[in-house]
Amino acid sequence: MEIPDYPNISEWAVPFYIVTMLVELGIGWFTGRVRYETRDTLASLVMGGGSLLAGALTAGAIGTVSLWLYEHRLFTFGFEPWWIVLAFVLDDLRYYWVHRFGHEIRWLWAAHIVHHSSQHYNLSTALRQTWTSFFALWWVVRLPLVFLGLHPAVLAFCGGINLVYQYWIHTEAIRRFPPWFEAIMNTPSHHRVHHATNPRYLDANYAGTFIVWDRLFGTFVPEDDAEPCRYGIVKSLGTFNPLRIALHEWVGIARDATGLSLRQRLGYLIGPPGWSHDGSRKTSADLKREHLRRHPEEAGKPGRPEVA
Amino acid sequence: MDKTTFLLAFVIGGVGLVTLATVLLGWGRRVPLSGLQEAQDRLAIDLPDATVTGGIVADDGLAALLDLDDGRVAAVACLGDRRWTRILTGAGGPRIRGVQVSDEGLRIPLRDPGAPILRVALADADTRAHWAARLEA
Ligand SMILES: [Zn+2]
Ligand SMILES: [Zn+2]
């Protein structure tokens, strides 16, 4: 079986990233709809470069495990275009779940928090990527697809396209697409909600390319023009230092989990972000409940729990 | 030039170009707090149940210290053109590693890997002493 030599999409996209960021900066200058901040941008781009490097350094290990598993696959899918399309859809479903776990399990969140740590939302934010996804075991969630019979090279190619798709939706320059497009595809509007810390927008819109997964699994929240997105993380960072951006949540986990019972440690490791053994912190669910207590008139709207 | 060198040059060049463009557009400047009200409004987003009873904005506008009605002290600080907030004293254990006082103001190292330091420019010695005492109480 001949394995096609797929291009490394993330590397090929670099010139496209640079040109589009310059265009977005221009749009921001003329319309005022987009905002960049120098050190925030620099931090995001350094995180992006570091992530590319971390990916290159760990690709060998992930490839070895994946190819070994592929030898023991259940079925064999070929490299014809229709299998690539199937692989893309399945890999996008895989992305939905790993991304959702990435917000619901603190161990994975410690890696993914990096992507959410800017209070800006522009194309440079898309490149603010983690350095620790290998350590956080994000890649493990792709293994079932390999075991099913999709070749790791195909999945890597699909994942690359998915990441590049997600790049251009990190913008405030585009408001909305026609309803049919917004219904199927992940768009700037949907992903703005994903990056927002407004209680009703927390833990929503995990989609990579197709927003249908969120609609299917009950995590879709539409952007409400009456409630502008506030971007970032609930506990905003007070630093642009890339090392701190990359590692602060890991340090937080290590500090939280020392000197406690095993059960409590596990809570800090695999419980949701904001979980604490003494109830002194707030999870997304707590924040939503408290918001609803203050605004009972909002009960039942998307992104809000039904009861306080 | 091999592929890796080319890619590296492109990445570094691109980062430089985009960063430079933000500077040229005037987006490299820090945006100080407009006053105590802005600090209070920002804190209300992160801590909607907190009631602010008083406070002070640093001389350079880059931070504010706020008194809460339950005796705690909160901070609102600038990061570029955005703000971050932290509770500095009160329930939940020590959040500050001490207060360093100099002629310029207060330097407060925090026990927080995501926000290691808070600087509050306060030229007035009495004001400085008051807040240093509040934080160390
Ligand atoms: Zn996310
Ligand atoms: Zn994003």
Side-chain angles (χ1 to χ4, degrees), chain A residues 99 103 112 116 194:
Chain A
H99 189 194
H103 281 259
H112 184 56
H116 287 270
H194 179 66

Side-chain angles (χ1 to χ4, degrees), chain B residues 32-56:
Chain B
L33 291 162
S34 57
L36 201 55
Q37 189 60 48
E38 190 198 336
Q40 224 166 306
D41 293 346
R42 181 61 183 80
L43 188 74
I45 292 171
D46 286 358
L47 286 171
D49 291 329
T51 306
V52 176
T53 55
I56 190 161

Side-chain angles (χ1 to χ4, degrees), chain A residues 95 99 103 109 112 115-116 191 194-195 206:
Chain A
Y95 181 85
H99 189 194
H103 281 259
W109 173 239
H112 184 56
H115 179 60
H116 287 270
H191 201 62
H194 179 66
H195 274 258
Y206 298 113

Side-chain angles (χ1 to χ4, degrees), chain A residues 11 15 18 22 25 29 35-39 42 119-120 230 235-240 244 248 255 294, chain B residues 3 10 14 19 22-23 27-28 30 42 45 48-49 79-84 86 97 112-114 116:
Chain A
E11 291 175 3
I18 296 166
L22 292 173
L25 274 162
W29 174 249
R35 181 75 194 205
Y36 276 70
E37 201 275 341
T38 301
R39 288 181 302 160
L42 187 59
Q119 292 191 57
H120 284 268
R230 289 191 306 270
K235 198 174 168 191
S236 302
L237 286 189
T239 179
F240 289 122
R244 287 194 179 273
H248 75 276
R255 280 190 190 164
R294 283 188 297 274
Chain B
K3 201 191 107 201
F10 220 98
T19 309
T22 65
V23 175
W27 292 338
R30 286 196 174 93
R42 181 61 183 80
I45 292 171
D49 291 329
L79 185 76
D81 60 346
R82 304 287 138 121
R83 286 82 176 86
W84 54 277
R86 288 293 188 274
R97 296 179 190 274
D112 190 323

